[in-house]
Amino acid sequence: MSRCFLFLLLSASAFAQLANSPPVPQWLAAPVGGTTFNQTVKHEGKLLKAVLLTASDATVEILLDGKSIATVKAAETATGTDLTQQLGDGKAHQLGLRVPGKAKTAARLELNGDLAAVRWIATDASWQNAVVMGATDADPATNPFDLKKTFDAYNSWQLAKPGAQNLATDPATLTLPLGFKAELIRSAQPGEDSWVSMAFDPQGRITLGKEKKGLIRLTLSGSGDQKVEVIDDELLECRGLLYAHGSLFANANNSKALYRLTDTNGDGTFDERKELVRTEGGVGHGRNHIKLGPDGDIYVAHGNNVLLPKNLDPESPLNNYANDQLIPNPWDSSMFDGNVELPAGHILRVKPDGSKVTLLAGGLRNPLDIAFNSRGDLFTFDADMERDVGTPWYMPTRVLQIVPGGDYGWRRGTGRFPAWYADTLPSVIDIGLSSPTGIYFGYGAEFPQKYQDALYLLDWSYGRILSVHFGSTVTQETFVAGRPLNVTDGCIGPDGAMWFTTGGRGTQSGLYRVTYAGNRPRQEAVAAKPQGAALSKHAERMRLESQPVSKWREQALHSKDMSALLALARVGQSSDLPAILDAVLKASPAPTLDALRVIAVVIARHGAPDEAHQKQLMAWVAYPQSDTFLNRELCRLLVYLKSPTVIEKTMPLLQAATTSEDLLFYPFMLRYLKDGWTLEQRKVAFEALNKAEKMNGASTFFKAISDTRSELAAALKPEEATQLAAVISPAKPAVLSAHALPGHSFKNWTLEDLTPLLVKMDAKTRSRDSAKDALIRAQCVFCHKVSNDPALPAGVFGPDLVQVSARFNRRDLLDHILNPSKFIDEKFRYVTVKTSDGKTITGSLESEDDERVVLRPNPLAPEKSEIAKAMIKERSVSEISPMPPGLLNSLKAEQILDLLAWFETMR
C-alpha cells in the first residue's frame, strides 16, 4: 500500500506560519468615469495589526467610511497602509478604493488578531461595483502581491532593510496617545551601522551600540547641531550599555563578554577596558541588556544560547535545575536551538569589579532586557517560541517578575513547563505575539502619572512600544506604533522625554524622542505589585531547599504540604521516592495539579517506582476530570504507567476536543503506547490530527502533527494501515505562505557537509536501531519499501529500495536523497493539468484515452480526478520530484550515516 502522500504533506506542513497562504486578490476594472470599490470590514477582539496592501496602474485613494485616509501611487509592487488604529474599535467600517477611469486596482487587507487566526479580505466579485478582470498572480513575474516583495504584519521590519529606506520612519506616521508627540532626532548615516542599544552618559550625551562593531557618541547642542564620535571600534555588537560607578559597562554579544570601560584621565576617551565576565555559547539569543540594581550590582540578561560563565558563584540562588520530564520526548534533541543547555536563558548579578558572578534566575528563552521598579522588584519581557503557536507547549511572550532562584520553565522542544507547574512561576501579564527587545519604566518622564508608572515594552517585529499599567489588574496598551518601527532600545532621558532607537538585522536606524504637551492631572503613583501567593510559595520552597535535607525531611513527609514535598523531590535522594509517593497519595486523596507535579518530578529525578506504587498510582488516578489541564497531566501519568485503560478513557476527550492544543496533545502522548489499540481508536487519533492540521498554528505545530502521525502510522500492522489509509492521509492543505517560519531542523544538510564522513563510515558497525528510527523520522518508509522486515511499513508509491545499494554507491544514494529533483524516474513524475475553467489539478497519471485523463491527486485516497481532454488548456510533466528536499534536516550526521549503512547491510 502507498503512504507517500503522508510524507509529502508532512514536509509541506512543517513550513506553516500562523496561517496558510492569504487569498489572491482579483484585479477590479474601473469604468471610463472612474468608480469606488467598497467592502464592509469589521474586526472583533484584539487587533495586533491591520495592513492594507494596494496595487494599481494609477493613483488610488483609500477611503474609510467615505473619508480619504491615504493615497497610493501606481507601482509594480503593492503598497502597504497601516489601518490598525482605524479598525481596532470593533465597529463595522466601509473600506473604499477610489479608482480613476479605465484603471485597475487590487487589494488585500490583513487583520492580524494576535494569537487568534489571521483573517484576510481581498478584492473579488463581492466588492461593491466590482468588475473582475482576473487574478493578480496570473503572471507570477508581475504579481504585485508576491510575498517575497510585499510584507505582512509580522515582517513589517523588512520595510526598513537597506534599499527600502534611506531615512528612519517619518514620526508623523506614528500613532501615539492624545497629547504625545514623536520627533525623529537622527537617522543613521552611511557608516554608522544599525543601532541595537543606547544609553545617556553623565554629561547627557547619547552612546549608541552599533550592530556589527563599535560604539558611537552623539552630542546634541541646544542649537540643534549634532556631533558624532567613534568611542570604540573593537567591541562586537554591544547589546547592553550602562553608565554606572564612573564607567561604561558594555555587554558585547559577539565578543562574548561583559566589559567595563573607564576614562581614567577625564579626556573623554575610554583608555581602560576590563573584561568582567566571559561566556561561551551562541550569539543568536545571546548577551543582552544590562541594568544597575538598587544594590549597586550589574544585572545581566542572557538568552538561551549563552552558556554559564566558569566563575559562577556555587552558592547562587538558582542551582538545582533539571529537565524534570516525566516522559522525555526523543524529538527534543533535534528541535530548534540544538545547542541550548540548562538553565537556558538566565539573569546574572555581577559585582561592578567582576569579583563575584551570581546566577539569579533561569528557565527563560530570550530575555532581551530587564527593569527594576521603584520598590526594587525586577522584571523582564521574555520571548516566546513563535514556531510553537498552536501546540500545547506554546507560551506567549510575557512579562515576568524575576526572583532569586526562579525557574521560568523554558526547556528545549516540547518540554516547556506550562504555567500551572508548581516549580515555575506565572507571568505578570501575557502579551501574545511580539518580538521583545528593550524594556524600562517611565520614572522621571514628564508624562502624566499613569505613564510615569508604566513599564514600557519594545516589540521589534510588529513595530510597537507597549505600556503596561499596574493596579488591581495589570493591563497593556499600545503607546507608540508605526510601520516599520523596528524598536531596539529606549529609556527616559535626563530631559524627561522618552528616547528610543530603531534598527537591528542591518535595517535603517533612527533615534526618536517622545514628549507630552497635554494637561497632566495629579494622580497617585502606582508601583508594580508582586504576585502574592505564587511568590510566597516559591520563597518558602527556596528556603527549604537551601537547608540540609536531614533537618526537614520528616516534617515534609508528614506535613501534607505539596510545596515541601516538591522541595524534597528536587533535593532528596532516590531512597526518598517511596516515602514521597506515599505522602502525596495520603495528602491528596484525589489528583491535583500540584500533586501530579510532585509525582512527575520525583520520578524524573529518582527513577521508576516499584510495581506496588505503580498500581497504587493507577488506582488513585480518577480520569478523566472536568479540568483541561488536569486531564493532560493525568493522561501523561497514565501513559507513563502504561495503563491498559488510558487509550479507551482518552477517546471521549479526543472526540470532544475543539482546541488545537488538545487535538495534538492526546495523540502526541498516546503515540508512546504501541499496543492496546482498537482500529476505531486509531482512527479517532488520526482524525484528531487531521482536524488539528486545519487550525491556526506555526511551523512546529504542523511538524509535531506530522511526526505524531508518522509514529502512530509506523506502529500499525499492514492490514490496519490499509483499512485506515483514508484517515492516515489528511485532506490536502492550502498552499503555505512564502513568509512561513521554517520547521525545526538540526541542519540544512548538503552533499558537501556529509561527503567527508562517508569515507570513514564502516557500515557494519553502525546502529540499526538508530537507522530504523531515522527511516521513520525521515519518512522513507511511507513511500518506499526499505526492508523485508514485515514489522516496518512498506510504501509502494516510490521505488523499492531493498536492493538500492546494488545500483548506487553511498555518495550517489545520498545525493539522490538530498537532491530528489536531480533525476526523476518517469514512472514517478506528477502531471499538472490546467483547464479552461481556471482549475489546476496535479497528480499521478492513472489512465488516459482519447477523451479523458484520470489523475489521482492523493495516492492514499480513493478519489480520482477525471478531466475531459476538450477542457485541458495546458498540460505539463512536473520537473519537481514528488519527494521533497530537506527530509534529512531533522537528523544528525550520525543518524544519516546509520540510515545509509542500513541499505548497505540489508538483511
Side-chain angles (χ1 to χ4, degrees), residues 1-26:
M1 71 148 248
S2 165
R3 276 176 277 182
C4 185
F5 183 75
L6 172 59
F7 102 133
L8 293 174
L9 178 66
L10 298 182
S11 180
S13 299
F15 295 87
Q17 194 187 4
L18 281 178
N20 287 342
S21 199
V24 176
Q26 303 294 307

mmCIF file of all heavy atoms in Angstrom, residues 1-26:
data_model
loop_
_atom_site.group_PDB
_atom_site.id
_atom_site.type_symbol
_atom_site.label_atom_id
_atom_site.label_comp_id
_atom_site.label_asym_id
_atom_site.label_seq_id
_atom_site.Cartn_x
_atom_site.Cartn_y
_atom_site.Cartn_z
ATOM 1 N N MET A 1 0.846 -1.199 0.000
ATOM 2 C CA MET A 1 0.000 0.000 0.000
ATOM 3 C C MET A 1 0.878 1.245 0.000
ATOM 4 O O MET A 1 2.038 1.198 0.377
ATOM 5 C CB MET A 1 -0.931 0.000 1.195
ATOM 6 C CG MET A 1 -0.272 0.230 2.545
ATOM 7 S SD MET A 1 -1.342 1.083 3.667
ATOM 8 C CE MET A 1 -0.490 2.604 3.774
ATOM 9 N N SER A 2 0.325 2.373 -0.414
ATOM 10 C CA SER A 2 1.109 3.585 -0.567
ATOM 11 C C SER A 2 0.777 4.599 0.509
ATOM 12 O O SER A 2 -0.362 4.861 0.797
ATOM 13 C CB SER A 2 0.817 4.200 -1.936
ATOM 14 O OG SER A 2 1.277 5.507 -1.977
ATOM 15 N N ARG A 3 1.842 5.158 1.079
ATOM 16 C CA ARG A 3 1.621 6.207 2.060
ATOM 17 C C ARG A 3 2.474 7.428 1.761
ATOM 18 O O ARG A 3 2.819 8.187 2.631
ATOM 19 C CB ARG A 3 1.937 5.686 3.466
ATOM 20 C CG ARG A 3 0.763 4.958 4.079
ATOM 21 C CD ARG A 3 1.095 4.372 5.420
ATOM 22 N NE ARG A 3 1.750 3.088 5.277
ATOM 23 C CZ ARG A 3 2.110 2.340 6.294
ATOM 24 N NH1 ARG A 3 1.891 2.743 7.502
ATOM 25 N NH2 ARG A 3 2.703 1.183 6.095
ATOM 26 N N CYS A 4 2.817 7.627 0.518
ATOM 27 C CA CYS A 4 3.709 8.730 0.182
ATOM 28 C C CYS A 4 3.078 10.082 0.436
ATOM 29 O O CYS A 4 3.748 11.018 0.835
ATOM 30 C CB CYS A 4 4.139 8.649 -1.269
ATOM 31 S SG CYS A 4 5.346 9.882 -1.719
ATOM 32 N N PHE A 5 1.779 10.172 0.193
ATOM 33 C CA PHE A 5 1.155 11.488 0.382
ATOM 34 C C PHE A 5 1.327 11.973 1.806
ATOM 35 O O PHE A 5 1.453 13.160 2.051
ATOM 36 C CB PHE A 5 -0.334 11.437 0.038
ATOM 37 C CG PHE A 5 -0.990 12.786 0.140
ATOM 38 C CD1 PHE A 5 -0.783 13.740 -0.835
ATOM 39 C CD2 PHE A 5 -1.781 13.098 1.228
ATOM 40 C CE1 PHE A 5 -1.372 14.975 -0.732
ATOM 41 C CE2 PHE A 5 -2.371 14.335 1.330
ATOM 42 C CZ PHE A 5 -2.175 15.283 0.351
ATOM 43 N N LEU A 6 1.359 11.013 2.741
ATOM 44 C CA LEU A 6 1.572 11.395 4.126
ATOM 45 C C LEU A 6 2.862 12.170 4.272
ATOM 46 O O LEU A 6 2.897 13.251 4.819
ATOM 47 C CB LEU A 6 1.611 10.141 5.000
ATOM 48 C CG LEU A 6 2.025 10.336 6.465
ATOM 49 C CD1 LEU A 6 1.069 11.288 7.139
ATOM 50 C CD2 LEU A 6 2.058 8.998 7.168
ATOM 51 N N PHE A 7 3.931 11.643 3.714
ATOM 52 C CA PHE A 7 5.194 12.340 3.929
ATOM 53 C C PHE A 7 5.295 13.599 3.093
ATOM 54 O O PHE A 7 5.935 14.563 3.453
ATOM 55 C CB PHE A 7 6.372 11.387 3.745
ATOM 56 C CG PHE A 7 7.130 11.458 2.457
ATOM 57 C CD1 PHE A 7 8.505 11.488 2.499
ATOM 58 C CD2 PHE A 7 6.499 11.463 1.224
ATOM 59 C CE1 PHE A 7 9.231 11.506 1.324
ATOM 60 C CE2 PHE A 7 7.230 11.492 0.068
ATOM 61 C CZ PHE A 7 8.605 11.504 0.102
ATOM 62 N N LEU A 8 4.600 13.634 1.956
ATOM 63 C CA LEU A 8 4.570 14.877 1.183
ATOM 64 C C LEU A 8 3.908 15.980 1.990
ATOM 65 O O LEU A 8 4.377 17.109 2.043
ATOM 66 C CB LEU A 8 3.790 14.681 -0.129
ATOM 67 C CG LEU A 8 4.419 13.738 -1.151
ATOM 68 C CD1 LEU A 8 3.462 13.549 -2.312
ATOM 69 C CD2 LEU A 8 5.736 14.299 -1.635
ATOM 70 N N LEU A 9 2.817 15.637 2.636
ATOM 71 C CA LEU A 9 2.108 16.629 3.422
ATOM 72 C C LEU A 9 2.918 17.041 4.632
ATOM 73 O O LEU A 9 2.995 18.211 4.977
ATOM 74 C CB LEU A 9 0.754 16.070 3.883
ATOM 75 C CG LEU A 9 -0.038 17.050 4.754
ATOM 76 C CD1 LEU A 9 -0.435 18.251 3.919
ATOM 77 C CD2 LEU A 9 -1.231 16.394 5.362
ATOM 78 N N LEU A 10 3.557 16.057 5.292
ATOM 79 C CA LEU A 10 4.335 16.390 6.462
ATOM 80 C C LEU A 10 5.418 17.386 6.107
ATOM 81 O O LEU A 10 5.662 18.344 6.814
ATOM 82 C CB LEU A 10 4.989 15.130 7.040
ATOM 83 C CG LEU A 10 4.036 14.040 7.524
ATOM 84 C CD1 LEU A 10 4.828 12.899 8.101
ATOM 85 C CD2 LEU A 10 3.077 14.587 8.533
ATOM 86 N N SER A 11 6.057 17.154 5.016
ATOM 87 C CA SER A 11 7.132 18.049 4.618
ATOM 88 C C SER A 11 6.604 19.436 4.336
ATOM 89 O O SER A 11 7.190 20.432 4.717
ATOM 90 C CB SER A 11 7.831 17.500 3.377
ATOM 91 O OG SER A 11 8.860 18.352 2.980
ATOM 92 N N ALA A 12 5.465 19.518 3.664
ATOM 93 C CA ALA A 12 4.895 20.835 3.374
ATOM 94 C C ALA A 12 4.405 21.509 4.635
ATOM 95 O O ALA A 12 4.630 22.688 4.855
ATOM 96 C CB ALA A 12 3.740 20.692 2.375
ATOM 97 N N SER A 13 3.745 20.748 5.507
ATOM 98 C CA SER A 13 3.151 21.336 6.691
ATOM 99 C C SER A 13 4.187 21.913 7.631
ATOM 100 O O SER A 13 3.902 22.820 8.385
ATOM 101 C CB SER A 13 2.327 20.284 7.438
ATOM 102 O OG SER A 13 1.286 19.807 6.634
ATOM 103 N N ALA A 14 5.375 21.380 7.603
ATOM 104 C CA ALA A 14 6.399 21.845 8.527
ATOM 105 C C ALA A 14 6.772 23.291 8.286
ATOM 106 O O ALA A 14 7.440 23.900 9.098
ATOM 107 C CB ALA A 14 7.648 20.966 8.411
ATOM 108 N N PHE A 15 6.315 23.861 7.192
ATOM 109 C CA PHE A 15 6.703 25.220 6.881
ATOM 110 C C PHE A 15 5.544 26.201 7.044
ATOM 111 O O PHE A 15 5.543 27.265 6.476
ATOM 112 C CB PHE A 15 7.255 25.300 5.454
ATOM 113 C CG PHE A 15 8.528 24.525 5.304
ATOM 114 C CD1 PHE A 15 8.495 23.174 5.005
ATOM 115 C CD2 PHE A 15 9.743 25.121 5.530
ATOM 116 C CE1 PHE A 15 9.671 22.453 4.901
ATOM 117 C CE2 PHE A 15 10.923 24.400 5.424
ATOM 118 C CZ PHE A 15 10.882 23.069 5.107
ATOM 119 N N ALA A 16 4.551 25.828 7.834
ATOM 120 C CA ALA A 16 3.403 26.702 8.015
ATOM 121 C C ALA A 16 3.714 27.801 9.012
ATOM 122 O O ALA A 16 4.420 27.609 9.964
ATOM 123 C CB ALA A 16 2.215 25.884 8.502
ATOM 124 N N GLN A 17 3.147 28.967 8.765
ATOM 125 C CA GLN A 17 3.275 30.071 9.690
ATOM 126 C C GLN A 17 2.038 30.085 10.560
ATOM 127 O O GLN A 17 1.445 29.044 10.840
ATOM 128 C CB GLN A 17 3.433 31.375 8.903
ATOM 129 C CG GLN A 17 3.903 32.569 9.740
ATOM 130 C CD GLN A 17 3.868 33.837 8.941
ATOM 131 O OE1 GLN A 17 3.430 33.844 7.803
ATOM 132 N NE2 GLN A 17 4.306 34.925 9.507
ATOM 133 N N LEU A 18 1.589 31.246 11.005
ATOM 134 C CA LEU A 18 0.405 31.314 11.841
ATOM 135 C C LEU A 18 -0.845 30.943 11.077
ATOM 136 O O LEU A 18 -1.872 30.634 11.655
ATOM 137 C CB LEU A 18 0.258 32.726 12.418
ATOM 138 C CG LEU A 18 1.169 33.011 13.599
ATOM 139 C CD1 LEU A 18 0.980 34.435 14.070
ATOM 140 C CD2 LEU A 18 0.897 32.043 14.719
ATOM 141 N N ALA A 19 -0.793 31.007 9.782
ATOM 142 C CA ALA A 19 -1.959 30.614 8.990
ATOM 143 C C ALA A 19 -1.463 30.245 7.611
ATOM 144 O O ALA A 19 -0.332 30.522 7.246
ATOM 145 C CB ALA A 19 -2.955 31.766 8.912
ATOM 146 N N ASN A 20 -2.317 29.613 6.834
ATOM 147 C CA ASN A 20 -1.946 29.273 5.475
ATOM 148 C C ASN A 20 -1.925 30.533 4.615
ATOM 149 O O ASN A 20 -2.229 31.630 5.061
ATOM 150 C CB ASN A 20 -2.916 28.242 4.926
ATOM 151 C CG ASN A 20 -2.678 26.882 5.563
ATOM 152 O OD1 ASN A 20 -1.629 26.625 6.132
ATOM 153 N ND2 ASN A 20 -3.670 26.021 5.473
ATOM 154 N N SER A 21 -1.574 30.350 3.370
ATOM 155 C CA SER A 21 -1.333 31.483 2.496
ATOM 156 C C SER A 21 -2.588 32.329 2.319
ATOM 157 O O SER A 21 -3.703 31.818 2.274
ATOM 158 C CB SER A 21 -0.880 30.958 1.139
ATOM 159 O OG SER A 21 -0.232 31.959 0.417
ATOM 160 N N PRO A 22 -2.423 33.652 2.245
ATOM 161 C CA PRO A 22 -3.582 34.541 2.083
ATOM 162 C C PRO A 22 -4.233 34.378 0.722
ATOM 163 O O PRO A 22 -3.610 33.868 -0.226
ATOM 164 C CB PRO A 22 -2.970 35.932 2.245
ATOM 165 C CG PRO A 22 -1.530 35.774 1.897
ATOM 166 C CD PRO A 22 -1.161 34.397 2.346
ATOM 167 N N PRO A 23 -5.487 34.813 0.586
ATOM 168 C CA PRO A 23 -6.164 34.706 -0.704
ATOM 169 C C PRO A 23 -5.520 35.603 -1.751
ATOM 170 O O PRO A 23 -4.914 36.629 -1.429
ATOM 171 C CB PRO A 23 -7.596 35.153 -0.384
ATOM 172 C CG PRO A 23 -7.451 36.023 0.825
ATOM 173 C CD PRO A 23 -6.334 35.430 1.623
ATOM 174 N N VAL A 24 -5.666 35.219 -2.992
ATOM 175 C CA VAL A 24 -5.106 36.001 -4.099
ATOM 176 C C VAL A 24 -6.097 37.106 -4.481
ATOM 177 O O VAL A 24 -7.250 36.813 -4.833
ATOM 178 C CB VAL A 24 -4.837 35.108 -5.321
ATOM 179 C CG1 VAL A 24 -4.357 35.939 -6.510
ATOM 180 C CG2 VAL A 24 -3.823 34.025 -4.974
ATOM 181 N N PRO A 25 -5.704 38.378 -4.415
ATOM 182 C CA PRO A 25 -6.613 39.449 -4.817
ATOM 183 C C PRO A 25 -6.921 39.385 -6.315
ATOM 184 O O PRO A 25 -6.082 38.956 -7.122
ATOM 185 C CB PRO A 25 -5.834 40.722 -4.481
ATOM 186 C CG PRO A 25 -4.773 40.293 -3.519
ATOM 187 C CD PRO A 25 -4.425 38.885 -3.891
ATOM 188 N N GLN A 26 -8.105 39.809 -6.670
ATOM 189 C CA GLN A 26 -8.514 39.897 -8.067
ATOM 190 C C GLN A 26 -8.400 41.340 -8.551
ATOM 191 O O GLN A 26 -8.689 42.283 -7.807
ATOM 192 C CB GLN A 26 -9.963 39.418 -8.237
ATOM 193 C CG GLN A 26 -10.204 38.003 -7.740
ATOM 194 C CD GLN A 26 -9.456 36.965 -8.556
ATOM 195 O OE1 GLN A 26 -9.573 36.929 -9.780
ATOM 196 N NE2 GLN A 26 -8.691 36.119 -7.876
#
